[in-house]
Amino acid sequence: MVFRKPPDGGWGWVIVVVSFFTQFLCYGSPLAVGVLYVEWLDAFGEGKGKTAWVGSLANGIGLLASPVCSICVSSFGARPVAIFSGFMVAGGLMMSSFAPNIYFLYLSYGIVVGLGCGLLYTATVTITCHYFDKRRGLALGLISTGSSVGLFIYAALQRELIDLYGLDGCLLIVGALSLNILACGSLMRPLESSDSPSPEKICVDKVPDQYFIYHEKEKTVEENISILEKGYIDEKCVNNVPDYKQDSILNKNVLTPINVNEKDTYKKKVVEQTNFCKQLAKRKWQLYLNYWEETVVLFKNKVFSALFVAILLFDIGGFPPSLLMEDVARSANVSEDDYHVPLISIIGIMTAVGKLTLGILADFKWVNTLYLYVSTLIMTGVALFAIPFAKSYLTLAMLSGILGFLTGNWSIFPYVTTKTVGIEKLTHAYGILMFFAGLGNSLGPPIVGWFYDWTQEYDTAFYFSGFCVLLGGFLLLLAALPCWNACTNQSSKLPPNTYSYKVASSA
């Protein structure tokens, strides 16, 4: 599929609006799962580490499946994927209201909802990048604030719904609200070239010619006809065995022009269909080989390799606060009288501010987006080290706001990926990176929960989290140093189809 030049406006702003509400509706409950986490602890009586798997799966499984999500979006388009995923999210939330134990929630809330969110996230980011180029940072910042605003609103909404209708009623209502994703997905019109025919309009008779790209020695039509001639004659003989008298009459006229033309037409159609199936199978296999070759080429880029390590460590250490901060406050014996605003809501609204602010900064030519991203990682690690020293609601609220703002670096992560590998490789590279992000999301909260079950306090857990984030930030900074580009230019040229992030550029 050939895309037009990104319009940086027009219908693209409609894409931004519907992508915003899509992320708002699908990620509102999973990101605000900390409210449900406390209820599940009381309802099922399981340990913190085991219960934390529900929220970590919901936020991590979709990212773990990002390569599959990328293939789905590339194969079917953003609109069909978004509509289908809306059913998954709504159905998973409603199923969770009937959960008899924590293991059922692993499937309904963790896997079904999480996978639906992953598909929706990939669809919204991909189609937004197709519609925007110069304003891509702003557009990505706007749509990514949808999940943060959803976190802010759903944290208070779910708490209120639990008080009014109980945990089961809350999940049913939230699932019903998620059905609005179907309307948003229907407006995600793909950006296609006006001078290229759509897949539905391609003539079927011309399809086989598109697959003759292997330069192999194929049998000619005459050779294939000679091979099929015996089968054709046998078929005619079998069909005429019962009526041997009539068959003798037909044999006398078998060379008439009508029968010859009919036989040749039949043979040619069979040959064309056989060649089509053969070339289609070769084409599919070649696509799989090309996918893995491109993956190897991506990892030859040192910045991309450091980026996947950084995102893995960042999600292991940086994601648990948004899930466990409510329980951290309860463990610190914070008085409910001082509990004015849920800490998760503070994280949510400040994440929205951070995404929008960082997205706007990424559009300035004098801002290097990679260094901007690295700085957010380092500051996040420092903030995580400070959590064990916070023993009051005020200090926890301040740290929640800081962590929420820095977590807004998600809005510039697609921007950094695009500048690192190029727009042509964005879907492929982003799927790989989101897989490692999902791995970190899935492992982070259970690890912190296990630390608490082991030590009966969160201090050691957040020291570990801060160390992970700082390590990832410094590794990425080391890989992006300008000296590496000088060494590369002196040694050899880059191999074809590879991309290097130029830290001295005006990205």
Side-chain angles (χ1 to χ4, degrees), residues 204-234:
V204 178
D205 295 336
K206 297 181 181 179
V207 170
D209 296 337
Q210 299 177 5
Y211 295 93
F212 296 155
I213 61 174
Y214 298 96
H215 307 290
E216 297 179 5
K217 184 178 179 181
E218 299 288 344
K219 290 183 174 61
T220 63
V221 175
E222 290 75 10
E223 291 174 340
N224 283 294
I225 290 176
S226 64
I227 294 174
L228 293 170
E229 185 174 4
K230 186 178 182 299
Y232 175 82
I233 295 175
D234 291 343

Side-chain angles (χ1 to χ4, degrees), residues 108-397:
S108 61
Y109 197 97
I111 296 178
V112 177
V113 175
L115 186 58
C117 290
L119 289 168
L120 288 167
Y121 182 80
T122 305
T124 54
V125 169
T126 301
I127 197 170
T128 302
C129 288
H130 287 162
Y131 270 87
F132 288 89
D133 182 19
K134 296 180 180 178
R135 300 177 178 177
R136 184 174 296 152
L138 174 61
L140 290 173
L142 288 172
I143 69 168
S144 61
T145 55
S147 58
S148 304
V149 174
L151 170 58
F152 173 73
I153 293 178
Y154 271 72
L157 176 63
Q158 290 184 147
R159 184 185 296 274
E160 187 66 22
L161 290 175
I162 290 172
D163 293 338
L164 294 175
Y165 305 104
L167 180 60
D168 298 342
C170 169
L171 291 170
L172 281 174
I173 295 173
V174 171
L177 289 175
S178 300
L179 290 173
N180 289 285
I181 296 173
L182 307 181
C184 295
S186 64
L187 297 175
M188 294 182 183
R189 187 173 65 194
L191 181 65
E192 298 182 17
S193 176
S194 57
D195 57 353
S196 63
S198 61
E200 293 80 7
K201 295 182 179 180
I202 296 178
C203 180
V204 178
D205 295 336
K206 297 181 181 179
V207 170
D209 296 337
Q210 299 177 5
Y211 295 93
F212 296 155
I213 61 174
Y214 298 96
H215 307 290
E216 297 179 5
K217 184 178 179 181
E218 299 288 344
K219 290 183 174 61
T220 63
V221 175
E222 290 75 10
E223 291 174 340
N224 283 294
I225 290 176
S226 64
I227 294 174
L228 293 170
E229 185 174 4
K230 186 178 182 299
Y232 175 82
I233 295 175
D234 291 343
E235 181 184 357
K236 296 291 292 183
C237 293
V238 170
N239 292 335
N240 292 308
V241 165
D243 193 359
Y244 61 90
K245 293 182 178 180
Q246 187 177 359
D247 180 66
S248 61
I249 298 174
L250 291 175
N251 286 334
K252 297 178 181 179
N253 301 321
V254 73
L255 297 177
T256 59
I258 296 177
N259 289 338
V260 171
N261 292 335
E262 180 182 345
K263 182 175 70 173
D264 291 342
T265 301
Y266 168 81
K267 294 175 184 176
K268 289 181 179 180
K269 287 183 177 180
V270 173
V271 170
E272 289 177 358
Q273 294 175 0
T274 303
N275 285 338
F276 171 73
C277 294
K278 180 180 179 180
Q279 297 296 334
L280 182 59
K282 291 180 179 179
R283 173 62 175 167
K284 293 295 183 181
W285 177 249
Q286 187 66 30
L287 289 175
Y288 293 137
L289 292 179
N290 290 341
Y291 179 85
W292 292 111
E293 289 176 0
E294 291 174 1
T295 302
V296 173
V297 170
L298 285 174
F299 279 98
K300 290 181 180 179
N301 186 337
K302 59 182 176 299
V303 177
F304 179 82
S305 299
L307 197 60
F308 94 83
V309 175
I311 191 65
L312 172 64
L313 295 176
F314 171 73
D315 281 280
I316 289 177
F319 176 67
S322 63
L323 176 62
L324 304 173
M325 192 60 79
E326 296 289 331
D327 194 55
V328 170
R330 188 168 69 171
S331 300
N333 298 320
V334 174
S335 175
E336 294 184 0
D337 296 335
D338 299 332
Y339 215 83
H340 306 294
V341 181
L343 296 176
I344 295 180
S345 295
I346 296 175
I347 293 176
I349 194 62
M350 290 306 297
T351 302
V353 175
K355 286 180 177 179
L356 188 58
T357 303
L358 294 174
I360 294 174
L361 286 175
D363 283 332
F364 288 105
K365 294 183 178 180
W366 49 270
V367 174
N368 188 295
T369 51
L370 181 59
Y371 287 160
L372 178 63
Y373 183 76
V374 170
S375 65
T376 61
L377 296 183
I378 295 175
M379 288 187 287
T380 299
V382 174
L384 289 170
F385 272 113
I387 289 180
F389 301 98
K391 301 299 181 182
S392 66
Y393 173 81
L394 180 61
T395 54
L396 285 173

Side-chain angles (χ1 to χ4, degrees), residues 26-42:
C26 74
Y27 275 108
S29 179
L31 289 178
V33 73
V35 176
L36 304 176
Y37 170 76
V38 177
E39 299 295 327
W40 286 329
L41 283 174
D42 298 335

